[in-house]
Amino acid sequence: ILLLVPTSAAAAGWTVGPAPSDDFSTIQDAIDGAVSGDTIVVAAGTYAEAIDFGGKNLMVTSASGATSTTIDATATASSFAVTFDDFEGAAARLVGFTIQNSGGQGIFVEYASPTLEDLVLSGLGSASVAGGALVISSGAPSVGNSSFSSNMASLGGHVYMDDLSSPSFATTSFASGTATTGGAVFID
């Protein structure tokens, strides 16, 4: 009798940075190479890219925190610097980054419930968009220990969400949001 017992692979740890010893030089390449359950640790620096978790429940965390590690999507022409739109759950975690995207928006969450922690979202959006820093459509992100400041939009200077969304915010600050309606948050 042959008995087959399924085994689960251990979660892997990956590094992103400029050093030859790092596994990847971009965050998106690391996400593409990772599987759900993996952890990606990003070295201090500015990463000129937009990232998409692509349905993977993995952790992307900075090694040195938001004051030293930036995702800047300005040069990418992407509408959003970070995207969660493929049913990612709470195990999809983005931790310890400053998010930049001059004229563009910060984070897009649709049909997902990621965990967003220790983020700085400032100077995002424009007068022609809804949700300068965070747009939530039928999503339930958990946002903690983060700061939203000086973001701009037509609706929801910092956060725009539809009425099917149920985000949570803990120990998070909102300052100087600019919008025609809803300087901080707009629920449509």
Side-chain angles (χ1 to χ4, degrees), residues 9 24 29 33 38 74 101 115 158 167:
F24 298 94
D29 283 348
D38 287 357
T74 302
N101 192 6
T115 302
H158 298 305

Side-chain angles (χ1 to χ4, degrees), residues 24 38 66 69 75 80 84 97 104 123 142 152 156 171 176 179 183:
F24 298 94
D38 287 357
T69 315
F80 294 93
F84 298 91
F97 291 91
S142 174
M152 175 191 305
T171 318
S176 304

Side-chain angles (χ1 to χ4, degrees), residues 63-180:
S64 300
T67 57
S68 301
T69 315
T70 301
I71 297 171
D72 186 352
T74 302
T76 69
S78 177
S79 296
F80 294 93
V82 180
T83 300
F84 298 91
D85 66 353
D86 199 6
F87 302 99
E88 295 90 349
R93 298 179 62 201
L94 182 66
V95 181
F97 291 91
T98 292
I99 307 298
Q100 294 180 340
N101 192 6
S102 181
Q105 293 159 282
I107 300 173
F108 180 64
V109 176
E110 183 176 47
Y111 302 115
S113 54
T115 302
L116 310 172
E117 299 173 314
D118 302 318
L119 302 177
V120 175
L121 297 111
S122 181
L124 295 161
S126 70
S128 63
V129 300
L134 177 60
V135 174
I136 309 165
S137 176
S138 300
S142 174
V143 182
N145 298 316
S146 296
S147 67
F148 292 74
S149 66
S150 303
N151 297 302
M152 175 191 305
S154 60
L155 302 171
H158 298 305
V159 180
Y160 170 89
M161 71 181 93
D162 65 17
D163 62 352
L164 299 174
S165 297
S166 56
S168 66
F169 296 92
T171 318
T172 295
S173 64
F174 296 91
S176 304
T178 303
T180 305

